[in-house]
Amino acid sequence: MFASFELGFKYNFVVDYALYITSYLDVIEDSGVLIFQQWHEPVRTSLESYFFKCGIIRISRGDKIMQYNLVFNYSPKNIIGGSYVFENLPFESYGSVSQGINYIGFEFSYGLIRKKQKSI
Protein backbone atom coordinates (compact mmCIF):
# COMPACT_ATOMS: atom_id res chain seq x y z
CA MET A 1 0.00 0.00 0.00
CA PHE A 2 1.09 3.55 -0.72
CA ALA A 3 -0.17 6.95 0.42
CA SER A 4 -1.31 9.50 -2.15
CA PHE A 5 -1.52 13.30 -1.79
CA GLU A 6 -2.45 15.91 -4.41
CA LEU A 7 -2.80 19.65 -4.12
CA GLY A 8 -3.88 21.71 -7.08
CA PHE A 9 -5.58 24.59 -8.83
CA LYS A 10 -8.41 24.37 -11.39
CA TYR A 11 -9.83 27.00 -13.71
CA ASN A 12 -13.54 26.36 -14.45
CA PHE A 13 -15.62 27.67 -17.36
CA VAL A 14 -19.41 28.10 -17.47
CA VAL A 15 -20.71 26.36 -20.59
CA ASP A 16 -24.38 27.42 -20.53
CA TYR A 17 -24.71 31.17 -19.98
CA ALA A 18 -28.46 31.76 -19.73
CA LEU A 19 -31.15 33.11 -17.39
CA TYR A 20 -33.34 30.45 -15.79
CA ILE A 21 -36.80 31.08 -14.36
CA THR A 22 -38.60 28.38 -12.39
CA SER A 23 -42.30 28.75 -11.54
CA TYR A 24 -44.70 26.48 -9.64
CA LEU A 25 -48.42 26.85 -10.23
CA ASP A 26 -51.29 25.25 -8.33
CA VAL A 27 -54.45 24.65 -10.35
CA ILE A 28 -57.58 25.46 -8.35
CA GLU A 29 -60.94 25.35 -10.21
CA ASP A 30 -59.36 25.70 -13.68
CA SER A 31 -57.25 28.72 -12.76
CA GLY A 32 -53.54 28.79 -12.07
CA VAL A 33 -52.31 30.28 -8.80
CA LEU A 34 -48.60 31.13 -8.66
CA ILE A 35 -46.99 29.51 -5.62
CA PHE A 36 -43.23 29.89 -6.09
CA GLN A 37 -40.90 31.60 -8.56
CA GLN A 38 -37.10 31.56 -8.78
CA TRP A 39 -34.66 33.38 -11.09
CA HIS A 40 -31.00 32.58 -11.40
CA GLU A 41 -28.28 33.37 -13.88
CA PRO A 42 -24.55 32.76 -14.08
CA VAL A 43 -22.60 35.41 -12.17
CA ARG A 44 -19.29 34.53 -13.81
CA THR A 45 -18.23 32.89 -17.02
CA SER A 46 -15.18 31.39 -15.31
CA LEU A 47 -13.71 31.02 -11.85
CA GLU A 48 -10.86 29.32 -10.08
CA SER A 49 -11.00 26.59 -7.46
CA TYR A 50 -8.50 24.76 -5.30
CA PHE A 51 -8.48 21.05 -4.52
CA PHE A 52 -6.79 18.62 -2.17
CA LYS A 53 -6.84 14.83 -2.48
CA CYS A 54 -5.55 12.29 -0.02
CA GLY A 55 -5.86 8.55 -0.21
CA ILE A 56 -4.27 5.18 -0.58
CA ILE A 57 -3.02 3.18 -3.55
CA ARG A 58 -3.20 -0.58 -3.35
CA ILE A 59 -1.34 -2.82 -5.82
CA SER A 60 -2.70 -6.35 -5.68
CA ARG A 61 -1.51 -9.65 -7.09
CA GLY A 62 -1.99 -9.87 -10.82
CA ASP A 63 -0.77 -6.28 -11.31
CA LYS A 64 -4.07 -4.56 -10.54
CA ILE A 65 -4.16 -1.06 -8.99
CA MET A 66 -6.96 0.32 -6.83
CA GLN A 67 -6.89 3.89 -5.58
CA TYR A 68 -9.22 5.46 -3.00
CA ASN A 69 -9.16 9.24 -2.47
CA LEU A 70 -11.01 11.72 -0.34
CA VAL A 71 -11.39 14.94 -2.39
CA PHE A 72 -11.91 18.49 -1.07
CA ASN A 73 -12.74 21.27 -3.57
CA TYR A 74 -13.05 24.95 -2.60
CA SER A 75 -13.85 28.04 -4.62
CA PRO A 76 -14.02 31.44 -2.90
CA LYS A 77 -16.55 32.78 -5.46
CA ASN A 78 -20.07 31.73 -6.46
CA ILE A 79 -20.87 30.68 -10.00
CA ILE A 80 -24.68 31.30 -10.02
CA GLY A 81 -26.78 33.91 -8.22
CA GLY A 82 -30.44 34.80 -8.16
CA SER A 83 -33.55 35.33 -6.08
CA TYR A 84 -36.81 33.61 -5.17
CA VAL A 85 -40.27 34.62 -3.98
CA PHE A 86 -43.26 32.72 -2.54
CA GLU A 87 -46.47 34.26 -3.87
CA ASN A 88 -50.02 34.35 -2.48
CA LEU A 89 -49.05 34.15 1.17
CA PRO A 90 -50.43 36.44 3.89
CA PHE A 91 -46.85 37.62 4.54
CA GLU A 92 -43.83 38.42 2.36
CA SER A 93 -41.41 35.57 1.76
CA TYR A 94 -38.45 36.16 -0.55
CA GLY A 95 -34.68 35.90 -0.58
CA SER A 96 -31.57 35.30 -2.59
CA VAL A 97 -29.88 32.11 -3.73
CA SER A 98 -26.36 31.32 -4.85
CA GLN A 99 -24.44 28.26 -5.93
CA GLY A 100 -20.75 27.56 -5.60
CA ILE A 101 -18.60 24.59 -6.50
CA ASN A 102 -17.44 23.61 -3.02
CA TYR A 103 -17.66 19.91 -2.25
CA ILE A 104 -16.21 16.94 -0.42
CA GLY A 105 -16.20 13.71 -2.40
CA PHE A 106 -14.86 10.20 -2.72
CA GLU A 107 -12.87 9.06 -5.74
CA PHE A 108 -12.20 5.47 -6.73
CA SER A 109 -10.05 4.32 -9.64
CA TYR A 110 -9.10 0.89 -10.88
CA GLY A 111 -6.33 0.09 -13.32
CA LEU A 112 -4.12 -2.57 -14.77
CA ILE A 113 -0.34 -2.50 -15.00
CA ARG A 114 1.06 -3.37 -18.38
CA LYS A 115 3.83 -5.92 -18.06
CA LYS A 116 7.18 -5.00 -19.54
CA GLN A 117 8.47 -7.15 -22.36
CA LYS A 118 11.85 -8.79 -21.88
CA SER A 119 14.42 -7.68 -24.42
CA ILE A 120 16.48 -10.32 -26.21
Side-chain angles (χ1 to χ4, degrees), residues 11-67:
Y11 199 72
N12 305 280
F13 295 96
V14 177
V15 176
D16 190 7
Y17 193 79
L19 170 67
Y20 294 98
I21 299 174
T22 306
S23 299
Y24 295 100
L25 297 171
D26 190 9
V27 178
I28 301 172
E29 298 176 5
D30 296 331
S31 64
V33 177
L34 184 62
I35 303 293
F36 175 78
Q37 200 164 28
Q38 178 177 336
W39 306 265
H40 56 87
E41 61 183 329
V43 177
R44 293 175 174 75
T45 56
S46 61
L47 74 155
E48 65 280 344
S49 65
Y50 309 95
F51 69 90
F52 173 70
K53 294 181 185 182
C54 60
I56 57 172
I57 300 171
R58 184 173 161 231
I59 301 174
S60 64
R61 293 184 190 116
D63 297 329
K64 296 179 183 93
I65 297 175
M66 287 186 280
Q67 185 171 357

Side-chain angles (χ1 to χ4, degrees), residues 20 22 36-41 43 78-86 94-100:
Y20 294 98
T22 306
F36 175 78
Q37 200 164 28
Q38 178 177 336
W39 306 265
H40 56 87
E41 61 183 329
V43 177
N78 290 325
I79 198 163
I80 292 176
S83 59
Y84 69 91
V85 61
F86 284 94
Y94 59 90
S96 61
V97 294
S98 63
Q99 179 182 350

Side-chain angles (χ1 to χ4, degrees), residues 67-103:
Q67 185 171 357
Y68 308 93
N69 286 326
L70 191 57
V71 182
F72 302 93
N73 194 78
Y74 171 72
S75 178
K77 300 174 185 172
N78 290 325
I79 198 163
I80 292 176
S83 59
Y84 69 91
V85 61
F86 284 94
E87 300 284 347
N88 297 308
L89 295 176
F91 53 89
E92 290 186 4
S93 181
Y94 59 90
S96 61
V97 294
S98 63
Q99 179 182 350
I101 54 173
N102 302 328
Y103 62 87

Side-chain angles (χ1 to χ4, degrees), residues 114-118:
R114 192 173 115 183
K115 293 186 179 188
K116 294 181 183 179
Q117 294 181 357
K118 294 180 181 179

